[in-house]
Amino acid sequence: MSEPLLFELSTPGRTAFTLPSLDVPATPLPEGYLRTDLPLPEVSELELVRHFTRLSQLNYCIDTNFYPLGSCTMKYNPKVNEKAAAIEGLTQVHPLQPEEALQGSLELMYRLQEALKEIAGFAGVSLQPAAGAHGELAGVLMIRAYHRSRGEHQRRKILIPDSAHGTNPASSAMAGLTVVQLPSDKRGNVDLAALKQACDDTVAGLMLTNPNTLGLFEEHVLEVCETVHACGGLMYGDGANLNALLGIARPGDLGFDVMHFNLHKTFSTPHGGGGPGSGPVGVSERLAPFLPGPIVVKEGERFRLHVPEKSIGRVRAFFGNYGMFIRAYTYIRMHGPEGLRAVAEHAVLNANYLKALVSPHFPVAVERTCMHEFVVHGDIPGTDVRALDVAKRLIDYGFHPPTNYFPLIVRDALMIEPTETESRQTLDAFAQALAAIAHEARTDPALLHEAPHTTPVSRLDEVKAARTPVLCYKG
Ligand SMILES: *Cc1c(COP(=O)(O)O)cnc(C)c1O
């Protein structure tokens, strides 16, 4: 870091804060509670403010720059969401208040449940899960509970295509199911022959991401659902990529029995440093009795908490991440049905526009019209430049790197998702940066191998950074 660290600014006797004069008798602290070896920096208030403001500016975020992180749907989080979430009537309540005193808060949950049901074509929704992966776990637990309730205890196999998100096999394993991987065909679809071979009476279900992690719509989705249903299995839909489908196709209509929504992707609530996310689950008629509770039901004009009869139970304390419900509901109401459809149309248009600009420099993995994202090979043939080098060099151009080395089935994958909230100018600038990097790779590859050059620290050993992090100032 070029600026001095706070500890290096220390000047003996300088303070940023003056304690008010003591208005009670001074009492010494008990022995042993005071450390003598605590060399805190002595700085002024201005130095302190500058230190933390500088640190905050090292954060990369959607409010400062383009963030094309594939599969993550890093769209703009409208500030009106924050305004709604700060409404006093919604913040100054407690989940242990009686239902009678929470009618407004419950109504908002009810309306969000209804909106999500309508958007994705499901019979029931629970808002409880705290993230997409948490929704997956709730979903596969429901699938298990469903088969058990019918005495089909042998259904313990879950089929997962090799183009799935890594959380899918992880959630299934956590739920005690055995994962069977299905290959993709040349067009990036599920290999139907392999699927048919895997289907028998030990199959609990299939987890499908549609559009898949290649950004491609599953062309045989109806046949996949029919095949799995025919052998008695259920269909799990990974709804993280719903941004491509809003107002155009409803997973419930396609044949999915359960799906999670990522409010922090599709519905513009903040991703925020690992949380708080929100991953509601939607289900078809036959899984509705198994939903995690409580959900909100309407009886006459009253809203009531309800635990469905065969519920898998609670998956989270209280109601879920309530602040996110307010933001997502605001987003849905601000857009309305036409607006949500426009979101998907523009997300797909932006991705295809950017794909056309990028593919002359970095070839796409599967040449098809993409949905909301696309995957290219990030290595440069004839050089030793890899996707990682390209990703790191993008930082020097002021862009967050795309998701890289995922999906695993693509060599040197760069997975790019622009979202609908970016302008054409931003997409053009990003494509120009990638074109310039492709040129640099051939003329000055060392520049890429050593990137980034503009950050406080350059290329890190990422494994070491994760395994043996140095988190405090050592002087
Ligand atoms: C993000 C994502 C998930 C997991 O969602 P989290 O909210 O991060 O737990 C699952 N599947 C896909 C395809 C995703 O993009």
Side-chain angles (χ1 to χ4, degrees):
M1 210 176 298
S2 49
E3 291 91 4
L5 290 160
L6 197 61
F7 284 88
E8 293 157 359
L9 287 173
S10 190
T11 306
R14 201 169 272 179
T15 56
F17 185 70
T18 314
L19 291 170
S21 53
L22 202 60
D23 59 357
V24 292
T27 311
L29 279 173
E31 274 304 305
Y33 279 79
L34 279 182
R35 281 173 60 181
T36 49
D37 60 337
L38 192 64
L40 290 173
E42 297 175 82
V43 294
S44 70
E45 180 174 326
L46 176 57
E47 286 164 329
L48 189 67
V49 166
R50 285 190 179 148
H51 170 73
F52 284 110
T53 304
R54 270 202 298 263
L55 278 188
S56 75
Q57 288 170 346
L58 292 177
N59 275 346
Y60 193 101
C61 60
I62 196 73
D63 281 353
T64 54
N65 286 86
F66 184 41
Y67 212 134
L69 199 60
S71 207
C72 294
T73 312
M74 304 298 288
K75 62 168 74 176
Y76 174 61
N77 305 154
K79 298 308 162 220
V80 65
N81 293 354
E82 299 307 315
K83 231 174 158 166
I87 292 172
E88 224 177 69
L90 293 168
T91 58
Q92 300 299 311
V93 288
H94 192 281
L96 289 180
Q97 278 177 242
E99 275 172 21
E100 287 314 303
L102 288 176
Q103 284 296 305
S105 303
L106 295 182
E107 179 170 357
L108 186 141
M109 286 177 68
Y110 178 79
R111 287 186 182 208
L112 179 58
Q113 286 172 194
E114 292 299 302
L116 294 177
K117 274 159 67 175
E118 175 66 25
I119 287 168
F122 285 116
V125 162
S126 168
L127 302 176
Q128 278 230 322
H134 196 198
E136 290 174 26
L137 178 64
V140 284
L141 286 174
M142 281 188 269
I143 291 177
R144 261 195 87 171
Y146 170 82
H147 291 308
R148 281 185 176 166
S149 76
R150 296 156 51 91
E152 302 201 38
H153 297 269
Q154 85 287 2
R155 291 193 180 270
R156 300 182 68 99
K157 242 171 34 191
I158 191 111
L159 311 178
I160 303 185
D162 58 6
S163 64
H165 197 262
T167 48
N168 291 188
S171 307
S172 301
M174 275 187 81
L177 296 167
T178 308
V179 176
V180 177
Q181 184 171 305
L182 294 178
S184 302
D185 66 17
K186 281 206 178 59
R187 284 180 64 78
N189 296 310
V190 172
D191 186 321
L192 285 177
L195 169 64
K196 284 181 180 143
Q197 200 158 32
C199 276
D200 59 29
D201 69 354
T202 64
V203 168
L206 184 150
M207 289 183 98
L208 192 70
T209 308
N210 189 30
N212 64 22
T213 56
L214 293 165
L216 303 175
F217 192 87
E218 174 60 53
E219 290 172 303
H220 311 298
V221 62
L222 297 177
E223 201 173 342
V224 170
C225 290
E226 277 164 22
T227 307
V228 172
H229 285 153
C231 82
L234 297 185
M235 283 298 297
Y236 186 97
D238 183 323
N241 293 340
L242 195 63
N243 214 42
L245 304 183
L246 285 175
I248 296 170
R250 305 197 312 166
D253 297 342
L254 297 177
F256 289 93
D257 298 284
V258 47
M259 185 193 89
H260 75 263
F261 302 80
N262 294 64
L263 298 190
H264 47 289
K265 293 181 182 172
T266 318
F267 298 99
S268 82
T269 76
H271 287 245
S278 186
V281 274
V283 291
S284 60
E285 213 61 75
R286 56 180 158 180
L287 283 184
F290 299 90
L291 276 174
I295 58 174
V296 179
V297 293
K298 189 175 183 191
E299 279 171 3
E301 289 310 302
R302 312 302 293 167
F303 297 92
R304 207 166 60 69
L305 291 168
H306 169 69
V307 179
E309 87 202 78
K310 296 176 187 163
S311 174
I312 58 164
R314 276 184 180 278
V315 295
R316 197 180 180 287
F318 299 121
F319 307 159
N321 276 333
Y322 196 87
M324 299 305 131
F325 304 163
I326 305 170
R327 290 171 175 87
Y329 182 68
T330 305
Y331 180 81
I332 290 169
R333 293 303 300 265
M334 286 289 291
H335 282 80
E338 297 304 318
L340 289 179
R341 185 184 169 96
V343 162
E345 287 171 348
H346 292 146
V348 172
L349 182 62
N350 270 3
N352 279 284
Y353 176 75
L354 190 56
K355 177 163 84 73
L357 295 181
V358 169
S359 57
H361 310 287
F362 296 92
V364 284
V366 180
E367 190 43 87
R368 262 175 63 185
T369 301
C370 68
M371 294 288 111
H372 61 304
E373 64 192 0
F374 59 97
V375 180
V376 299
H377 293 291
D379 55 344
I380 303 283
T383 74
D384 56 356
V385 168
R386 308 292 306 269
L388 184 68
D389 303 314
V390 173
K392 296 296 183 194
R393 183 65 179 147
L394 269 170
I395 298 171
D396 291 335
Y397 282 84
F399 294 109
H400 195 286
T403 300
N404 46 74
Y405 296 95
F406 178 78
L408 303 173
I409 52 175
V410 175
R411 183 194 81 240
D412 276 80
L414 289 177
M415 182 195 221
I416 302 171
E417 178 179 10
T419 84
E420 75 286 359
T421 58
E422 297 298 335
S423 69
R424 178 174 173 184
Q425 286 75 13
T426 299
L427 303 185
D428 288 343
F430 179 71
Q432 276 161 18
L434 276 176
I437 292 169
H439 179 69
E440 287 171 352
R442 294 192 174 89
T443 53
D444 187 4
L447 192 62
L448 273 68
H449 292 316
E450 287 153 23
H453 302 275
T454 57
T455 46
V457 288
S458 190
R459 185 77 65 99
L460 288 174
D461 178 336
E462 291 180 356
V463 175
K464 208 166 161 211
R467 296 281 152 79
T468 49
V470 180
L471 299 176
C472 63
Y473 178 75
K474 293 275 172 59

